[in-house]
Amino acid sequence: MNVGSTTRRAGAFASGSARSERTAAHVAQGLPVRDATLPPRSPVRLLTLTTLFPNAVQPRHGIFIATRLRRLCDTGDVSSTVIAAVPRFPGAYRIQAGIPESEETFGLRVYHPRYANVPGIGMRLQPRMLAASILGEIRRRGLDAESFDVVDAHYFYPDGVAAAHVARALRLPLVISARGSDINVIGDLGFARRAMVAAASSAKGLVAVSQALSQRMETLGMPADRIEVLRNGVDTGIFSPMARERARASLGFTGDVPLVLGVGNLVAEKAWDLLIRAVARLPGARLALVGEGPLRGMLETLAHDLAPGRVRFLPNMPQPELRVAYAAADVTGLPSLREGWPNVVLESLACGTPVIAASVGGVPEILRPGSPAVVLEHRSPEAWSEGIERLIGARHEPSAVHAYAAAFGWDEVVAGQAALYRRIATLRE
């Protein structure tokens, strides 16, 4: 028997008499009755399923999911057991091979079972293989349906589709959170779209991080009445201004020439080539790109050809170091082709650095008229170089830029998401 379940049942028995009196009073007044199996002060026990979660080998992998979950658990309204499965196949996934079977990350217990995935051709089978691995891990850890109240999935494919199989097997209600590329990119694949829509239809709740993403989910055929928009927040305790000269010195940058920053994976969807071309048009300006990915070689070649000696490629950084990078820059650029709710925007603003960004996804919801930013529809290097010059020339005060970001805190979001989980928990069979 699960220890948490035993404690919970004992508490429920001890408080049964008082709860019965409250229930009778509510019935007499025509008020809704709270599910007796879920005492008001008991945290909702989440089974959190995602392949995007920080680990000992990839400390920034899915950090946006871990940050939100840690905030939720800190309220005391929610507890979570995280299963972040890892792909395996002979000769592939060498980096992931070093991830431990279990670890504590962000103060949360995280399990990393392996699931078979054939690189390049295994995408159709991925949800089933992932679900089988998760259910096997639950059994190995001595857990069962009584250990949880809600299945909590993050990223729609394969994670949300696999979670639908798991929730069905455990007869637990399901919440799926969409993040961005799962809907905007994978949603264009017919077989994946059909599987995601089926999973969404079986879920009791759906979360989108922006209104734009919510609308895209509806367009794909997901039930609109189950979608709740809960944006990401920014942690101003981590991301805050610091002296630009000191920040630049920490990164090895010298001189007082304009510095543009880009943060993100070096992949096609981020369109870093546009930012390189724009900076190349600004005499003396430099660009720092923080991130890793398959396009690094191509981008290095482009930078050497267009702006020799003026573009630096930096590896992924933990958040405290990323704060230094933001603070060192005059402008942060985000020329993405698609986005959900880009955390980079708020992180940069919180560090006092204005942003130039493409008008995609949730960007216009963050960067409203009057914000310390430039939002562009055009994708020409000329438009972007002019936008960068305009931002630098505006000389935004870092404290004012920070204050704009501070309005996007976590408290409101966390309260809304905790309330969602508690409501969904009452729907368990």
Side-chain angles (χ1 to χ4, degrees):
M1 182 178 292
N2 180 268
V3 173
S5 299
T6 304
T7 304
R8 182 177 187 144
R9 281 193 280 269
F13 178 80
S15 61
S17 176
R19 194 159 56 245
S20 296
E21 292 176 6
R22 287 195 300 272
T23 299
H26 280 208
V27 170
Q29 298 174 56
L31 298 175
V33 179
R34 183 185 294 272
D35 187 337
T37 64
L38 196 65
R41 294 182 182 176
S42 294
V44 178
R45 300 166 302 164
L46 302 179
L47 171 59
T48 299
L49 307 178
T50 182
T51 55
L52 296 172
F53 210 81
N55 57 66
V57 177
Q58 301 163 301
R60 286 193 56 80
H61 185 60
I63 195 169
F64 46 89
I65 295 173
T67 299
R68 180 183 289 238
L69 188 58
R70 180 66 266 166
R71 290 270 180 169
L72 275 163
C73 292
D74 285 344
T75 67
D77 293 327
V78 167
S79 65
S80 177
T81 297
V82 181
I83 299 182
V86 177
R88 70 175 177 190
F89 190 79
Y93 306 115
R94 290 186 175 90
I95 293 176
Q96 291 90 334
I99 298 173
E101 291 186 1
S102 69
E103 61 182 330
E104 186 170 298
T105 303
F106 277 65
L108 300 164
R109 174 51 53 187
V110 183
Y111 300 111
H112 297 294
R114 268 52 178 175
Y115 71 98
N117 187 52
V118 183
I121 63 173
M123 191 173 180
R124 291 175 183 267
L125 298 176
Q126 211 173 355
R128 288 190 177 277
M129 303 303 287
L130 181 55
S133 173
I134 292 167
L135 288 169
E137 185 71 6
I138 290 170
R139 288 191 296 270
R140 279 191 296 274
R141 298 294 175 180
L143 303 170
D144 57 26
E146 291 302 313
S147 306
F148 311 106
D149 300 307
V150 174
V151 176
D152 167 45
H154 294 263
Y155 208 76
F156 242 97
Y157 195 98
D159 313 62
V161 177
H165 290 290
V166 173
R168 193 176 304 117
L170 299 179
R171 301 184 68 182
L172 288 173
L174 169 65
V175 175
I176 306 177
S177 294
R179 312 304 307 192
S181 60
D182 48 352
I183 301 298
N184 293 325
V185 179
I186 300 176
D188 287 337
L189 303 174
F191 73 90
R193 179 174 62 252
R194 289 188 291 274
M196 289 193 290
V197 170
S201 298
S202 73
K204 300 298 184 183
L206 304 171
V207 174
V209 292
S210 69
Q211 193 63 47
L213 193 63
S214 171
Q215 292 168 358
R216 170 69 172 160
M217 292 163 71
E218 291 182 38
T219 300
L220 293 182
M222 297 182 182
D225 60 338
R226 298 180 204 174
I227 302 173
E228 190 161 338
V229 177
L230 292 165
R231 61 166 175 79
N232 290 336
V234 63
D235 189 341
T236 55
I238 296 175
F239 296 104
S240 61
M242 64 181 294
R244 182 163 293 158
E245 296 77 11
R246 181 160 60 92
R248 289 191 176 190
S250 297
L251 295 176
F253 287 103
T254 57
D256 191 30
V257 297
L259 176 62
V260 180
L261 177 70
V263 177
N265 294 329
L266 305 183
V267 294
E269 289 79 9
K270 294 297 183 182
W272 296 124
D273 59 308
L274 175 55
L275 198 58
I276 291 173
R277 295 177 192 280
V279 171
R281 294 175 55 85
L282 300 173
R286 292 176 296 179
L287 171 64
L289 286 178
V290 178
E292 298 166 356
L295 295 189
R296 175 161 179 164
M298 183 274 283
L299 294 171
E300 285 179 328
T301 299
L302 181 66
H304 176 74
D305 290 343
L306 298 183
R310 293 199 284 134
V311 180
R312 276 182 59 184
F313 290 82
L314 301 171
N316 285 328
M317 299 178 178
Q319 289 181 325
E321 293 179 25
L322 200 51
R323 174 206 175 202
V324 176
Y326 286 127
D330 294 285
V331 175
T332 295
L334 187 71
S336 305
L337 299 173
R338 306 175 187 87
E339 285 289 351
W341 181 276
N343 298 321
V344 166
V345 170
L346 286 177
E347 291 170 358
S348 177
L349 296 177
C351 293
T353 301
V355 172
I356 181 170
S359 182
V360 295
V363 168
E365 298 171 44
I366 305 172
L367 302 177
R368 303 159 184 161
S371 65
V374 170
V375 180
L376 293 176
E377 297 279 356
H378 299 291
R379 302 197 61 84
S380 69
E382 294 82 4
W384 276 72
S385 61
E386 290 170 6
I388 291 169
E389 285 187 312
R390 191 158 75 247
L391 266 185
I392 293 174
R395 297 187 178 277
H396 289 285
E397 178 61 39
S399 60
V401 178
H402 172 82
Y404 183 90
F408 293 86
W410 276 109
D411 291 351
E412 175 187 343
V413 178
V414 167
Q417 190 140 10
L420 170 66
Y421 288 134
R422 185 158 292 279
R423 184 172 73 250
I424 299 300
T426 65
L427 302 178
R428 67 176 297 171
E429 297 180 23

